[in-house]
Amino acid sequence: MAISKAKPKDKPYKLPDEKGLFVLVHPNGGKYWRLKCRYDGKEKTLALGTFLEITQAEARDGRNEARRMLAKGIDPSAAKKQGSLSAKESSTNYFEAIAREWMVKHLAGRSPGHKETVVDRLEKNVFPWIGDRPIRDITASDLLQVVQLIESRGAQETARRVLGICGLSVPLNCY
């Protein structure tokens, strides 16, 4: 109740909870859950979220998790940053995203017809099957399955070209 009734002041101020957890009330009225802790002899403040989005119970769970990390010798702020970087990285490391980035760079000086053909081959033959998968999870056998699907409809040349576009220079009779 005290947090809900807290009014903004000229300067930010803290409303303590327990074990280093507090709410920081900003002059603009924003209320933020923060955790004060020490790692490697240095004082740190870890952001846990805003008051309205994070309940007190969730903030305490976050505090407890951070304290467990500290007990294991792990910096919770560094772990949080690494987690957000991994999430960002994984959202951009899908086959289709990387292929489209490659197309922008590789096809920049090519003719419009060539660009259209390469994009069309990938959009129709590859992206529907492996476009939404993380690039690190795709194996050569996954790509060969896609090529076999293309071959099964009698498009031998398209299958060979798709292999070339995707970076595999394997004769089709090798598998």
Side-chain angles (χ1 to χ4, degrees), residues 10 13 24-25 37 62 69 76 95 148 154 158-159 161:
D10 292 339
Y13 67 97
L24 184 64
V25 181
C37 58
M69 287 180 174
F95 183 86
Q148 288 171 342
T158 302
R161 299 285 181 157

Side-chain angles (χ1 to χ4, degrees), residues 82-93:
Q82 184 62 36
S84 65
L85 286 175
S86 296
K88 181 180 178 185
E89 182 181 297
S90 67
S91 68
T92 58
N93 277 341

Side-chain angles (χ1 to χ4, degrees), residues 12-32:
Y13 67 97
K14 299 175 184 178
L15 294 173
D17 185 57
E18 60 181 18
K19 299 179 183 174
L21 184 64
F22 62 92
V23 172
L24 184 64
V25 181
H26 280 267
N28 66 4
K31 299 172 186 174
Y32 305 92

Side-chain angles (χ1 to χ4, degrees), residues 12-124:
Y13 67 97
K14 299 175 184 178
L15 294 173
D17 185 57
E18 60 181 18
K19 299 179 183 174
L21 184 64
F22 62 92
V23 172
L24 184 64
V25 181
H26 280 267
N28 66 4
K31 299 172 186 174
Y32 305 92
W33 288 106
R34 298 289 189 254
L35 176 65
K36 182 178 176 181
C37 58
R38 293 184 90 58
Y39 177 76
D40 201 21
K42 297 179 184 175
E43 186 174 299
K44 295 191 171 227
T45 303
L46 184 65
L48 299 176
T50 61
F51 171 67
L52 293 177
E53 293 175 0
I54 305 291
T55 66
Q56 186 176 27
E58 292 171 330
R60 286 179 175 174
D61 289 343
R63 176 206 58 209
N64 293 339
E65 180 61 30
R67 289 173 61 99
R68 279 191 287 276
M69 287 180 174
L70 287 167
K72 293 178 183 176
I74 300 170
D75 181 3
S77 62
K80 186 176 178 182
K81 286 177 188 174
Q82 184 62 36
S84 65
L85 286 175
S86 296
K88 181 180 178 185
E89 182 181 297
S90 67
S91 68
T92 58
N93 277 341
Y94 289 96
F95 183 86
E96 184 173 352
I98 291 173
R100 289 192 184 279
E101 185 178 319
W102 171 83
M103 287 187 285
V104 167
K105 293 176 183 174
H106 179 74
L107 300 176
R110 306 294 177 130
S111 71
H114 179 69
K115 288 180 194 177
E116 184 179 322
T117 302
V118 171
V119 171
D120 188 57
R121 283 181 178 145
L122 289 174
E123 286 179 346
K124 289 181 179 176

